[in-house]
Amino acid sequence: MPSVFLKTYGCQMNERDSEQVLRQLQDRGYRPAASEKEADVILLNTCSVRDLAEQKALRKMGNLRALRKKNPAVVLGFLGCMAQRRGPSLEKDMKGVDLVVGTQKFHRVSALVEEARQARLGGRPRFLSEVGDEEGSESAIRDHVLSPRQVTAFVSVMQGCDMHCSFCIVPTTRGKERSRPIIEIVEEVRRLVGDGIREVTLLGQIVNLYGRRIPVKDGKSAFVQLLEQLEEIPGLDRIRFTSPHPRGMKPDLIGCYGRLHKLCEHLHLPVQSGSDRILKQMGRGYTAEQYLRIVEQVRRACPELGLTTDVIVGYPGETDSDFEATRQLMEQVDFDNGFIFRYSPREGTRAAHEKANEIPEKVKEERNQELLRLLDRRAQEKARQRVGSLAEILVEGPSRTNANRLTGRSRQNRPVVFEGSERHLGQVLQVRITESTGFTDYGDPAILG
Ligand code: SF4
């Protein structure tokens, strides 16, 4: 039985795509290889969001080619966003690669792998590339490879993005916005629950703008209709979604917090900047004040909300006062956590033409550090307040840092580690928080149910 090793770079969407590809290959008789050294097929599912991510995948592939000395028939392939962006040019840039498969062709991977393998085994390797558009590709990602006792799963509800933010390569790599039908997603989640899943995270680049072409019903957008139908699935305990866009945070969706009990009290809402001038240049379609108003409304509907965000520092032309506006917005919102990115230009985006206005790396780094310190300070203060409180967690498995402990996540999406036993796996439990590092909480095993 041939074996496959699949390495994934980048976001949860990529993890989900990799899972689908692995399932396809397993259905064709491939088994997962324990390491790349013993695999007959090695695939890198790539990310394009930053230049660094592309360079990493290219370096990795460069090293993998050395495995051919021992096994000349090993098939090497690039999948995903970088494959989509660079396309067949990868044949020139990375000699010896057999396959390049773009983001709308994941469903073709196993057939192409098989073709490439036969060619290699026959001593006549061929370069195969498929990166075109594919009608219906948004519905192709629907099979799962679940590990034993897995209780959470990602569900892809849409692909692509029509927003064209100036810094973002996603509309190029993932194509136009395409949503799956509600009924198909509900069926997939029902199947997952039947297989033991208790929490789903709905995935989409602008997930809350899901189904813009599906008619609004009783004042409810397609996304809200979807959430309501998922709420009704017996055995499903929790629903999350990522990543929403502030423009999709309309009253019908905000009203779901508190009303739909399975919807977790967590929102990851990228703000990107607190400066209206920069937000306009980015083409984000909202002002700082509009963002603040959304936060206020969601918090009013859901006082327990855990709120996290993405921020870019050092966008071309970002002045000290633009940065100060971002810093102030962050102080004002008081996020629970956030990802701070130092801007780096992506070829093929509008912002990449702003070379003259580029911000020195040193300044980007200072701004990055300042926001990280702000987040950390507030996380420590909030952590102290949490000690002694109860948290509802879904127990996911052993802790990554200590296999004798278990870990789960609170409804606010905070990791909680505790000393439990086998029988707690997959359970929803109340745990009393005894300590916290700021971003990870520790629970008291004494009060476990
Ligand atoms: S909304 Fe998100 S995915 Fe779409 S272009 Fe903007 S940053 Fe990229």
Side-chain angles (χ1 to χ4, degrees), residues 161 163-165 167-168 170-171 205-206 245 284:
C161 178
M163 300 296 275
H164 296 282
C165 299
F167 54 84
C168 182
V170 163
Q205 259 87 27
I206 38 171
H245 191 287
R284 292 288 292 172

Side-chain angles (χ1 to χ4, degrees), residues 16 18 85 130 155 161 165 183 235 252 299 428:
R16 181 66 200 96
S18 290
R85 200 179 80 78
E130 286 205 13
V155 174
C161 178
C165 299
I183 186 168
D252 62 331
R299 281 193 168 141
V428 174

Side-chain angles (χ1 to χ4, degrees), residues 268 272 308-312 337-341 368 372 375:
H268 180 80
Q272 308 302 8
T308 54
T309 196
D310 293 335
V311 175
I312 295 174
N337 203 348
F339 295 104
I340 315 294
F341 299 94
N368 179 31
L372 288 175
L375 280 172

